[in-house]
Amino acid sequence: MRARRAGSRGRRLRLGAVRPRAGAGTGRGTGTRAGAGRGTGTRAGVAGIGCSVAAALLCALTAVPPASAAPGTPTTGAPGTGASTTPYAFADGDRRIDGAPDTADAPLLRPGRSYRGTLPAHGVLHYRLDLDATDTAYVPVTAVPPAGAAVASTDGIRVSVRDANGAPCSYASGRVGTSLSPRPVTALGTREPGRALCRNAGTYYVGVERAESGRAADASGGGADAPWELEIAPVTEPGLTGAAPTTAPPAPGTATPAPLAGAPRDRAGGSGFATARPLGQGVWRAELTPGTTLFYRMPVDWGRTPHVVAELGGTADGHGYAGGALNLALHNPVRGLVDEVSAGYTGTPKQAALAPLPPVAYGNRYAVPATQNALCFAGNYYLVLHLGRQLADTFGPGPYRVTLRVRLDGRAQDGPRYAGRSAPDGVFAVTAADREAAASGGPVGSDLRMRLLAAGGLGTGTALLVALGGWTLAARRAQRRVSAQNPTA
């Protein structure tokens, strides 16, 4: 990339260095009159403008970033690794919002948009939703502790949803867990119109607060009271046309499928939900440093069943035991937790496998087990991989190689017919572009964007040649007019 940019700068310098011939436009050309000199100056001036515009257009063409450098792409380590240098990548379009200490001043959250704020160590922040009587609302809240924070396993967040009368719709929490390492934690608030409570249209309130225990001052110097960053991304799911399932399918068996075999391919991860790297069935490899969290998104159709195993490679450095060293979590398309597993580490290879899961089905939402209940719609599911910070104290700073074995069983099926559109649109569907991105590892539609960019470059190049030809013709005509009006002696 550096070589290509240097070449672009070189081309721009050479184009910008074009100058009129000596004597042009000065009236001092040998054997010419002053009028002829002005004519030559006109030609040179037009040519100079043409070259300047050409240079500007070439700059615009060569400055277009590649698809892999699109806004929001997380900063990563060496190519082919998953070593992220940022703790969490918020969405580029996140809107700043400040929660209120009471419901009277609660700011409005609009489904389909993403928001960013801060959460203090104490107190509840309130937000407002205006909902109709048919849509199901999901409010995922992700909290990001400071990178150097000292955390306990019970530290995290609590999210609640209530109606205008204070009746509870849902409670949820997200915890740091056994890794004892500051990492993004997510909790999902919901409002389901089919339930006995919270079924009416109107105003609903979302409460967010810290779930914490006593802990020491953090390494960043902010102390235990340092605020955490927040990302809130509300989603609505429309009702169905016709009769909807009202019971859950049978629970899956307890047998764990054999992990997918094969040589791993390098696939770097993103640093947040918004920048999660596409991932499909296969064997993938990334490198992480302790304290790092990687995000992947995996398209899962109706009727298909995901199975995921993470393997932390062995090391010859150090000895001992690090609890919760490897953490693997699966989240559904609205960021609700499906399953999560942690594994300790002694320096030898270690696996962490998600529990056996059922096929994705609309009726799963009526199931009691959380691992089945959360698999209730198709879309992009999220794999979140974290290495505990204490791993560095026992076995060194790494990086450590982690292999992901991902398989999707079952056949894709047609899903239920929704009566309207979700917000944002397309959350509960898998497209051909999603599948293409999962196979190639690029952003959704990256190949199409590159084709359009190439076509645009060719079109702009053609337009540039035509424009230069027009400028040259205009300059020659101007020269002939000046020569006719001012004949030489």
Side-chain angles (χ1 to χ4, degrees), residues 366-388:
Y366 304 112
V368 174
T371 53
Q372 182 176 357
N373 180 276
L375 285 163
C376 60
F377 22 61
N380 280 298
Y381 282 69
Y382 297 93
L383 283 172
V384 183
L385 195 62
H386 177 79
L387 280 192

Side-chain angles (χ1 to χ4, degrees), residues 13-25:
L13 288 173
R14 287 194 292 274
L15 281 170
V18 176
R19 293 185 176 88
R21 295 191 304 273

Side-chain angles (χ1 to χ4, degrees), residues 107-393:
L108 179 65
L109 298 174
R110 297 185 182 276
R113 297 181 180 178
S114 186
Y115 300 87
R116 181 177 179 179
T118 55
L119 179 66
H122 307 286
V124 181
L125 295 183
H126 295 90
Y127 306 87
R128 176 168 53 92
L129 286 169
D130 290 338
L131 303 175
D132 62 22
T134 60
D135 288 356
T136 301
Y138 304 95
V139 188
V141 181
T142 299
V144 186
V151 293
S153 61
T154 54
D155 286 335
I157 58 170
R158 286 191 291 262
V159 176
S160 63
V161 179
R162 296 176 179 271
D163 68 11
N165 296 316
C169 307
S170 71
Y171 292 100
S173 62
R175 308 281 179 168
V176 167
T178 58
S179 68
L180 302 178
S181 179
R183 64 184 181 93
V185 292
T186 300
L188 179 68
T190 60
R191 176 268 193 175
E192 300 176 70
R195 304 293 185 181
L197 296 176
C198 306
R199 63 193 316 164
N200 298 322
T203 298
Y204 290 81
Y205 295 101
V206 179
V208 182
E209 62 182 320
R210 291 265 292 275
E212 57 185 347
S213 61
R215 56 191 185 278
D218 59 41
S220 64
D225 292 336
W228 291 9
E229 291 289 306
L230 284 183
E231 185 171 63
I232 308 174
V235 176
T236 55
E237 179 190 24
L240 301 185
T241 59
T246 57
T247 59
T254 57
T256 301
L260 198 67
R265 290 181 287 169
D266 290 331
R267 181 65 57 91
S271 298
F273 285 105
T275 60
R277 185 80 180 274
L279 193 75
Q281 178 167 291
V283 183
W284 313 99
R285 180 175 57 202
E287 289 185 349
L288 294 80
T289 55
T292 297
T293 305
L294 297 183
F295 291 76
Y296 297 91
R297 71 175 185 270
M298 176 176 60
V300 183
D301 283 287
W302 298 101
R304 304 211 70 184
T305 305
H307 301 286
V308 184
V309 176
E311 300 173 359
L312 177 58
T315 179
D317 298 331
H319 62 277
Y321 177 78
L326 175 63
N327 187 271
L328 172 67
L330 176 67
H331 294 256
N332 65 21
V334 296
R335 306 183 184 182
L337 181 64
V338 178
D339 190 32
E340 185 172 24
V341 61
S342 293
Y345 187 67
T346 59
T348 59
K350 186 67 177 180
Q351 282 191 352
L354 296 179
L357 300 173
V360 172
Y362 187 89
N364 283 337
R365 66 191 62 211
Y366 304 112
V368 174
T371 53
Q372 182 176 357
N373 180 276
L375 285 163
C376 60
F377 22 61
N380 280 298
Y381 282 69
Y382 297 93
L383 283 172
V384 183
L385 195 62
H386 177 79
L387 280 192
R389 186 176 59 185
Q390 72 274 22
L391 195 64
D393 299 331

Side-chain angles (χ1 to χ4, degrees), residues 439-464:
S440 66
V444 173
S446 60
D447 291 345
L448 175 60
R449 282 198 295 269
M450 291 305 292
R451 288 195 294 268
L452 290 176
L453 178 61
L458 290 173
T460 306
T462 303
L464 176 60

